[in-house]
Amino acid sequence: MKLPLVDTFSPTYEIWEKRDPTLDEMLAAGNPHLRIPIRLEACISNAYDAATHMAKVGADNRLGNFIDDALDKSVAYRSWRQTMPSKTPDELSRYQKRYPHCNFEQVSAEIEAVGHVLSEGQCLFHAGLWPANGNRLLTDRPLSTSFCPQVALRNANHKGKGYDADRIDLFVLRATNPKTKVFAYRRKGTNLGHENEVVFAAGAELSLRSAVPVNTNYPAGKYGFPDKRILVRVLEIDIS
C-alpha cells in the first residue's frame, strides 16, 4: 500500500513581528511573558520555504512544536503508524538508538518486510553533503529523514560534521514515482520520538533539482576547536 500524504504546513506556519505589551495589556491578559503581534512577516506553507527559513535562522523551536502539533492532529499520519508494527523491529531499533553500530543490510530487510511506499509529492527533510559531482545518487544503505527541518539541520551538525565539511546541505526530499519502502518510527513513549524520523530502505534514487546558498554565516561548533561560520544550502531533491 501507499502511505497517505501528510502535509504539516496546512494550515500555514505564521511568523509575526511582536512588541512588548503595555502594563494595561499585561494586566488584562494576566501573562507577564505576553508579546503583542503587530506585523505578519512570513507564512510558511510548504517544505521548501520551511527549509529556507530554518537555514536562515538556524533554530526555531516554535516551528518544531508546530510540526509536532500537526503530526499529532493528522489523520493521515495516524494511518502511517497504524500500518507499522507496534513493536519496532530489533535492527531498526538498533539503527535509531546506536547508529552507525548496526547491520545496514538487516535494517533495509526489515524496512522491506514491514514498511510501505510514500505517496507522490510527500516531502521530508535530510541534511548532510551532496556529492560534488553529479545530479543523481543511488543510496547503498538506509537513509534517515525527518518531518522537521530543524532536526535534520541539527543532526548534520552533530559531532562536528558540519564544522569539518565547512558546509551543510539541507535536503528537501520530494517523493517522485516512489518505489522505495519507508519505516516511520513511533513518536510517543520513546526518547527519540522528537526526531519525527522516517527511514528509507537502501536503493532509493535521488535526483538533484536545485541547490541554493541560503546562509553563509551559520554557527558551527566542534569540541576543542574555536567556533566558526559555515555555509548552508537548501537542495530540492526528487526521491524514488
Side-chain angles (χ1 to χ4, degrees):
M1 65 168 284
K2 286 196 172 183
L3 299 170
L5 199 65
V6 176
D7 184 359
T8 55
F9 300 104
S10 178
T12 60
Y13 174 67
E14 297 182 347
I15 302 171
W16 286 82
E17 179 184 350
K18 297 183 178 181
R19 63 167 173 81
D20 292 330
T22 65
L23 179 59
D24 287 342
E25 287 170 334
M26 189 184 303
L27 292 174
N31 179 5
H33 305 293
L34 179 69
R35 298 274 290 165
I36 306 298
I38 56 175
R39 184 175 66 88
L40 182 62
E41 294 182 326
C43 286
I44 294 175
S45 60
N46 58 70
Y48 185 83
D49 287 350
T52 300
H53 166 70
M54 191 57 64
K56 288 177 179 177
V57 302
D60 185 346
N61 291 333
R62 184 171 165 267
L63 175 59
N65 292 336
F66 178 89
I67 292 170
D68 285 343
D69 289 343
L71 291 173
D72 287 342
K73 296 173 183 176
S74 172
V75 174
Y77 180 75
R78 191 176 306 124
S79 74
W80 281 39
R81 281 299 308 152
Q82 289 172 346
T83 67
M84 305 293 161
S86 57
K87 180 182 183 298
T88 301
D90 291 343
E91 203 61 37
L92 271 163
S93 178
R94 193 171 292 112
Y95 175 86
Q96 185 185 41
K97 296 175 181 177
R98 299 179 58 190
Y99 179 93
H101 304 292
C102 58
N103 184 322
F104 291 123
E105 289 186 4
Q106 184 59 32
V107 172
S108 276
E110 288 181 347
I111 298 171
E112 293 290 352
V114 303
H116 299 280
V117 175
L118 297 175
S119 287
E120 183 81 15
Q122 179 65 55
C123 288
L124 295 163
F125 302 96
H126 174 82
L129 287 176
W130 184 264
N133 298 315
N135 292 326
R136 302 178 80 83
L137 175 67
L138 186 67
T139 62
D140 60 1
R141 61 169 60 183
L143 177 69
S144 178
T145 71
S146 175
F147 277 102
C148 180
Q150 180 165 253
V151 170
L153 195 57
R154 286 177 175 171
N155 285 343
N157 204 28
H158 185 57
K159 293 185 177 179
K161 289 182 289 186
Y163 187 99
D164 289 340
D166 281 323
R167 189 183 88 229
I168 295 174
D169 291 333
L170 181 53
F171 298 9
V172 182
L173 298 165
R174 183 182 185 277
T176 306
N177 298 318
K179 63 179 184 298
T180 307
K181 287 186 177 181
V182 303
F183 178 83
Y185 286 95
R186 63 192 179 101
R187 300 173 51 248
K188 305 294 184 181
T190 171
N191 291 337
L192 296 172
H194 64 282
E195 294 195 343
N196 296 324
E197 186 174 7
V198 179
V199 59
F200 285 78
E205 185 175 353
L206 282 64
S207 300
L208 179 65
R209 295 170 53 206
S210 69
V212 178
V214 172
N215 188 350
T216 60
N217 201 39
Y218 180 79
K222 182 178 179 180
Y223 180 76
F225 292 84
D227 290 348
K228 64 179 177 180
R229 304 288 171 156
I230 65 172
L231 170 67
V232 178
R233 303 190 303 172
V234 172
L235 279 55
E236 289 183 285
I237 295 172
D238 292 337
I239 185 166
S240 58

